[in-house]
Amino acid sequence: MSSSILIDSFGRKHDYLRISLTDACNLRCLYCMPNEKVIVTPQSKLMQVDEIFELAQTFVKMGVTKIRLTGGEPLVRKDAHKIILKLAKLPVELTLSTNAVLIDEYIETLKLANIKSVNVSLDTLNADEFFAITKRGDFDKILKNIYMLLQHNFSVKVNMVAMKGINEHCILDFVEWTKKYPLQVRFIEFMPFSGNSWKKENVLSYKEMLEKINEKYSTIKLQDKANETAKKYKVKNYLGDFGFISTISEPFCSGCNRLRLTADGKFKNCLFSKIEIDLLKALRNKQDVCALILENLHQKKKERGGQFEYVNDLDKIENRSMIKIGG
């Protein structure tokens, strides 16, 4: 197949697939899975190891060159080791998004899979505030595991969801963290999903965050790569850098190259898309998966799933919770 087969009606080439391994998680972050009674998808309805590989292999044949494993928390799956090592056989850049609670148990697996880059979700550098946001007490372990990743020469991105009135005061702490450590901090604008109590007054725009940072630091704008979601900066002579993912205030849809596969095998052409195609059912029924992928991709909207044009429309969005989509 042509390496450019995954092209939508707006001419955007898609070569990056995010695969959710589970909708279970060992944290309860308020912006992702606020309800303690979230019903986790039964194992029988999740993609199994060979099914994940077969669907991933199909996407690779159609032009995908990068795969990111997400969740929920992907490492809570008991067969995560098998999945990671099996996908490592594909000719792709394999990466991982995690909360890092269990990362120490997977260091050797990640090395065997030739994973070079890990994204870690962390929304504060204060243990008490971490507990308030996640309802869990794993802060010290996560911090220790981030340093362990750096010691093992992994490239580490730290994703921080910035919420006005909740953790905005932590932004400068994260910038200061990049002084001595080669971390790539990413400040993410608070996005609306089912059940996450999103309110536009809690959104901290990237310009507001940058203005706050510039009051204390002299920052340098870095060159952003093609298809990159973050607007990148750094403080002169600091080892790390930081950037902003401005989904709400300044969407970057024109350069989107991302596709998503949920843990229960549904294909989403956009994080905010209402339309989902059941690829797992199609695979189990021996249907033409490629045709379904292309049909869905050609329905991709120009911007943010076609669900809203203005910030005031965001509270009307129809979508799953973030935990059910995959980070």
Side-chain angles (χ1 to χ4, degrees):
M1 288 188 182
S2 166
S3 61
S4 60
I5 195 171
L6 291 169
I7 298 174
D8 69 7
S9 59
F10 299 96
R12 293 173 295 200
K13 178 180 175 182
H14 296 74
D15 55 11
Y16 181 6
L17 176 66
R18 301 173 76 98
I19 302 177
S20 175
L21 301 188
T22 179
D23 56 6
C25 191
N26 43 8
L27 300 181
R28 292 292 183 273
C29 300
L30 58 89
Y31 56 82
C32 181
M33 189 168 64
N35 186 353
E36 290 282 351
K37 296 180 182 178
V38 167
I39 298 173
V40 175
T41 303
Q43 181 70 21
S44 62
K45 293 188 177 180
L46 293 176
M47 297 183 291
Q48 303 303 300
V49 178
D50 290 341
E51 292 168 335
I52 292 170
F53 180 79
E54 190 170 345
L55 287 174
Q57 189 174 43
T58 298
F59 277 98
V60 170
K61 287 177 180 177
M62 297 175 78
V64 163
T65 59
K66 179 178 179 178
I67 292 176
R68 177 174 297 282
L69 302 181
T70 71
E73 170 48 49
L75 301 184
V76 302
R77 256 190 86 145
K78 296 193 185 323
D79 53 4
H81 288 280
K82 289 181 182 178
I83 295 168
I84 292 169
L85 293 176
K86 196 167 182 69
L87 290 177
K89 297 175 183 177
L90 295 172
V92 295
E93 176 190 353
L94 188 61
T95 62
L96 174 76
S97 287
T98 175
N99 59 34
V101 172
L102 300 173
I103 206 74
D104 52 307
E105 300 175 24
Y106 284 85
I107 286 286
E108 295 309 317
T109 299
L110 300 185
K111 288 181 179 178
L112 284 172
N114 200 33
I115 289 177
K116 308 285 190 188
S117 175
V118 177
N119 283 22
V120 178
S121 298
L122 185 64
D123 302 307
T124 177
L125 292 174
N126 177 280
D128 292 335
E129 290 175 352
F130 178 86
F131 185 84
I133 292 171
T134 68
K135 309 295 189 293
R136 297 296 183 266
D138 295 301
F139 176 77
D140 290 337
K141 187 177 184 187
I142 290 170
L143 214 58
K144 182 179 178 181
N145 281 344
I146 288 173
Y147 293 136
M148 180 185 296
L149 285 168
L150 291 176
Q151 289 165 3
H152 285 267
N153 298 315
F154 286 89
S155 172
V156 181
K157 287 184 181 177
V158 178
N159 293 335
M160 184 262 205
V161 177
M163 296 166 283
K164 195 175 288 186
I166 297 173
N167 65 345
E168 61 186 306
H169 58 282
C170 303
I171 291 171
L172 297 181
D173 295 337
F174 279 94
V175 173
E176 189 59 26
W177 201 18
T178 67
K179 182 176 183 177
K180 296 181 180 179
Y181 297 97
L183 296 163
Q184 302 169 59
V185 174
R186 297 295 177 258
F187 299 113
I188 303 173
E189 293 180 350
F190 186 25
M191 292 181 279
F193 296 98
S194 177
N196 75 342
S197 302
W198 184 91
K199 295 178 182 177
K200 60 179 177 288
E201 53 263 33
N202 290 132
V203 174
L204 197 63
S205 74
Y206 103 85
K207 287 184 176 178
E208 289 176 300
M209 289 187 266
L210 182 58
E211 185 177 346
K212 184 180 182 71
I213 292 167
N214 282 336
E215 287 175 1
K216 181 174 180 180
Y217 299 98
S218 177
T219 59
I220 303 166
K221 180 71 183 78
L222 301 178
Q223 182 68 43
D224 301 325
K225 298 176 184 176
N227 304 121
E228 197 162 35
T229 56
K231 300 171 175 64
K232 296 187 300 183
Y233 295 79
K234 73 173 298 172
V235 178
K236 187 177 181 180
N237 297 325
Y238 278 27
L239 288 179
D241 61 55
F242 61 93
F244 306 94
I245 299 179
S246 57
T247 309
I248 304 301
S249 65
E250 287 191 20
F252 33 82
C253 304
S254 61
C256 183
N257 66 337
R258 291 157 176 75
L259 303 171
R260 293 173 180 269
L261 193 57
T262 65
D264 57 352
K266 307 296 194 304
F267 173 53
K268 289 177 73 76
N269 59 33
C270 171
L271 177 61
F272 293 109
S273 175
K274 288 188 286 187
I275 301 171
E276 299 180 351
I277 298 295
D278 194 339
L279 295 188
L280 180 57
K281 181 179 179 181
L283 180 69
R284 290 176 177 177
N285 290 338
K286 303 190 184 313
Q287 292 176 252
D288 187 346
V289 171
C290 291
L292 291 173
I293 291 170
L294 291 175
E295 178 186 349
N296 183 270
L297 179 60
H298 292 152
Q299 295 178 50
K300 184 166 182 170
K301 304 296 184 182
K302 184 177 182 180
E303 188 174 293
R304 294 186 290 196
Q307 290 221 59
F308 46 83
E309 294 183 52
Y310 308 103
V311 172
N312 288 338
D313 296 332
L314 290 170
D315 55 0
K316 305 170 188 171
I317 193 167
E318 293 178 42
N319 209 354
R320 299 198 203 193
S321 61
M322 188 63 184
I323 192 83
K324 292 290 184 182
I325 298 171

